[in-house]
Amino acid sequence: MSSIMKAFLPLLLAGGVTLASCGDSTNNSTTSEDTTLAGNNGMDNMTADDNDDQDFLEDAVEANTMEMRALMMGERKGGNEVKSHASHMMADHRKLGEDVAAYIASKNITLNDVDTNDTDNSLQNKAAGKEFDKAWAEKMVDDHEKVIRMFEEGEREVRDPELKTMITNALPKLRSHLDMSKQLQEKMK
């Protein structure tokens, strides 16, 4: 499972809950909220045909969790424009996280714990200011490009029609975030 996929899944599941663990410290251990929301919750009963669905969910939740952390950092350390972008995207990622959490609960799915030890600390190490804003915009472009590829792959490979619809419905928002991030990145040059 790719680290990008792993990074997005906790975000989807946890939405705003994991935001509390998003301080400036470099402690990247799994929080109790991560474990509760993304912990083993029933996927053990799935068939081999469901592996693509489980893989997608685990990757998407982890990616979303990591994205929420970066968005919170943007709200905390960014300039006015970064804060505005972060706030807008955070609302959409929270909603997506809530939708995925509801789906997982309705299907009685169990996911593996989220591993946040591979967290990209490049933003945490930057002081607030123009350099942070530039790095944050670049990270948003890179992360959204990766997540869009993950969702497009998931759209082709997942088996459950409800999950496939959720992915299809999320892609326009993710593409919108990418466009916003590219525009911001261009302004920061």
Side-chain angles (χ1 to χ4, degrees), residues 8 11-12 17 22-23 36 38 45 63 71-72 82 91 99 103-104 109 114 150-151 154 156 162 171 173 182 186-187:
F8 193 70
L11 277 176
L12 288 174
V17 176
C22 191
T36 302
N45 300 328
L71 292 171
M72 286 189 63
V82 166
D99 291 347
Y103 171 83
I104 289 171
I109 295 172
V114 175
M150 175 187 12
F151 270 60
R156 290 186 303 273
E162 186 179 347
L171 276 166
K173 282 282 187 199
K182 285 181 175 180
E186 191 61 34
K187 287 182 181 180

Side-chain angles (χ1 to χ4, degrees), residues 4-19:
I4 295 304
M5 299 275 261
K6 286 181 179 178
F8 193 70
L9 195 53
L11 277 176
L12 288 174
L13 254 185
V17 176
T18 59
L19 297 179

Side-chain angles (χ1 to χ4, degrees), residues 53-68:
D53 293 15
Q54 180 176 355
D55 289 347
F56 172 80
L57 287 168
E58 287 179 350
D59 291 343
V61 167
E62 186 170 334
N64 197 49
T65 299
M66 304 313 286
E67 185 74 12
M68 290 293 287

Side-chain angles (χ1 to χ4, degrees), residues 84-186:
S84 174
H85 279 73
S87 179
H88 175 85
M89 287 191 273
M90 192 174 299
D92 291 340
H93 280 276
R94 277 190 185 129
K95 172 72 170 106
L96 185 56
E98 291 166 1
D99 291 347
V100 171
Y103 171 83
I104 289 171
S106 74
K107 301 291 184 176
N108 195 28
I109 295 172
T110 301
L111 300 176
N112 293 322
D113 291 343
V114 175
D115 179 11
T116 58
N117 290 324
D118 290 334
T119 301
D120 177 3
N121 292 320
S122 60
L123 290 178
Q124 289 181 354
N125 298 330
K126 293 217 178 282
K130 288 187 182 221
E131 287 304 310
F132 173 84
D133 290 357
K134 185 176 178 179
W136 186 86
E138 184 176 319
K139 179 168 181 50
M140 290 298 102
V141 169
D142 291 346
D143 288 356
H144 281 91
E145 286 174 342
K146 291 172 186 173
V147 167
I148 288 168
R149 283 193 302 273
M150 175 187 12
F151 270 60
E152 289 170 343
E153 181 181 324
E155 190 176 36
R156 290 186 303 273
E157 295 181 2
V158 300
R159 306 242 192 274
D160 182 56
E162 186 179 347
L163 180 56
K164 190 176 293 261
T165 298
M166 189 182 319
I167 293 168
T168 300
N169 292 340
L171 276 166
K173 282 282 187 199
L174 295 171
R175 290 181 180 123
S176 170
H177 291 181
L178 176 59
D179 291 342
M180 288 172 46
S181 299
K182 285 181 175 180
Q183 290 172 6
L184 182 63
Q185 184 182 38
E186 191 61 34

